[in-house]
Amino acid sequence: MKNYEKAITLEAKHKRQTQQGMNELQRDIKYQVKEEKADTELKIAMKKDAIQSSDTSIQLYKDE
């Protein structure tokens, strides 16, 4: 149980950091040119996937 609690805590921390990074990218995209926007949108999509993965991992740990 303690290991699962630690894993949940680490996943939640990783999720928060990823969310903060995504928020920064979303703020920066306003000031970018077309090529930069495409790259930034790809990075945002990757961060959204990472957040979803963290949510799934947290749920799996809770289910265990």
Side-chain angles (χ1 to χ4, degrees), residues 16-28:
R16 281 191 305 274
Q17 290 173 339
T18 304
Q19 182 69 43
Q20 288 174 345
M22 189 177 76
N23 291 343
E24 288 175 18
L25 288 172
Q26 288 174 333
R27 282 191 299 265
D28 292 345

Side-chain angles (χ1 to χ4, degrees), residues 4-64:
Y4 286 125
E5 289 173 7
K6 287 180 184 178
I8 289 171
T9 303
L10 288 174
E11 280 296 329
K13 182 179 178 182
H14 180 258
K15 179 183 170 184
R16 281 191 305 274
Q17 290 173 339
T18 304
Q19 182 69 43
Q20 288 174 345
M22 189 177 76
N23 291 343
E24 288 175 18
L25 288 172
Q26 288 174 333
R27 282 191 299 265
D28 292 345
I29 202 168
K30 296 174 189 174
Y31 308 105
Q32 296 176 344
V33 295
K34 188 175 181 178
E35 294 82 17
E36 292 173 321
K37 283 184 180 182
D39 184 48
T40 302
E41 287 172 354
L42 178 63
K43 290 177 184 177
I44 289 171
M46 290 171 46
K47 290 193 180 286
K48 284 182 182 179
D49 289 343
I51 290 169
Q52 186 176 7
S53 177
S54 289
D55 285 337
T56 303
S57 295
I58 289 170
Q59 190 59 48
L60 287 174
Y61 292 139
K62 287 181 179 179
D63 292 344
E64 289 291 321

